[in-house]
């Protein structure tokens, strides 16, 4: 089978698929596009005009959570709980992580302090909810690493940019999230899921957006 991941270098949803591909050692190629100027071939093939897209023997698979479930299923399926309710609850938390990624993006790209704080407050409250959900670890479901871990890891990778200058995690009030996030960031599959100049590309994006967070960082 051939796998081609269509990617944008700073997209956290792409990163989820890249982590699963890496964790499962699935041989694949990566094609980068610029979402500011998406090529026609991409607009034709991506139903929602979004990345990630995974081409599987030429077939188009989209939506990061769906891509990850598929990748797990063709490689043993151990990244999803066997119990249907547990599996469904994991899916729900993956959706929650997507919502957090949205708030994180809105916060970092907010044009002013008021909007920045609005999204930061939402994110902090969500981090507390995750804190209450986590057990003893080391992973989201305990001993077994899962797709829930791969879904949250990009949030923490974005949080760690520029030596945690943009972090919303308070280790004192959300210690389990803090420890879990650092454990995830130390995994080779997570480390290798972004390009080597990820930090500078991410910062360039904030500068281009002329965001409040960029001005705080540059000051
Ligand atoms: N629900 C989608 C979200 C993907 C998404 O929002 N990707 C962004 C980049 S990070 C995108 O392609 N945006 C382009 C657009 O909205 O036109 C998933 O999980 O794959």
């Amino acid at each position: 089978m051939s796998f081609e991941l269509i990617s944008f270098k700073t997209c956290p949803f792409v990163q989820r698929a890249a982590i699963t591909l890496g964790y499962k050692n699935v041989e694949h190629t990566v094609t980068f596009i610029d979402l500011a100027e998406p090529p026609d071939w991409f607009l034709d093939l991506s139903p929602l005009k979004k990345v990630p897209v995974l081409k599987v023997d030429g077939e188009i698979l989209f939506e990061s959570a769906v891509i990850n479930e598929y990748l797990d299923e063709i490689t043993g399926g151990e990244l999803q709980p066997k119990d249907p309710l547990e599996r469904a609850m994991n899916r729900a938390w993956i959706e929650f992580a997507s919502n957090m990624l949205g708030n994180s993006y809105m916060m970092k790209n907010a044009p002013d302090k008021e909007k920045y704080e609005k999204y930061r407050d939402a994110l902090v409250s969500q981090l507390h909810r995750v804190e209450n959900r986590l057990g003893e670890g080391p992973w989201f479901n305990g001993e077994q690493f899962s797709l829930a871990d791969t879904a949250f890891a990009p949030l923490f990778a974005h949080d760690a940019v520029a030596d945690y200058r943009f972090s919303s995690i308070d280790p004192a009030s959300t210690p389990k999230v803090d420890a879990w996030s650092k454990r995830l960031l130390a995994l080779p599959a997570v480390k290798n899921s972004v390009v080597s100049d990820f930090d500078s590309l991410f910062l360039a994006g904030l500068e281009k957006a002329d965001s409040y967070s960029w001005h705080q960082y540059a000051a």
Side-chain angles (χ1 to χ4, degrees), residues 8 11-13 16 35 48-52 62-65 98:
F8 176 64
C11 174
F13 298 98
R16 288 174 162 181
L35 277 176
L48 294 171
K49 322 279 183 223
K50 292 182 182 190
V51 287
F62 58 105
E63 285 297 321
S64 59
S98 297

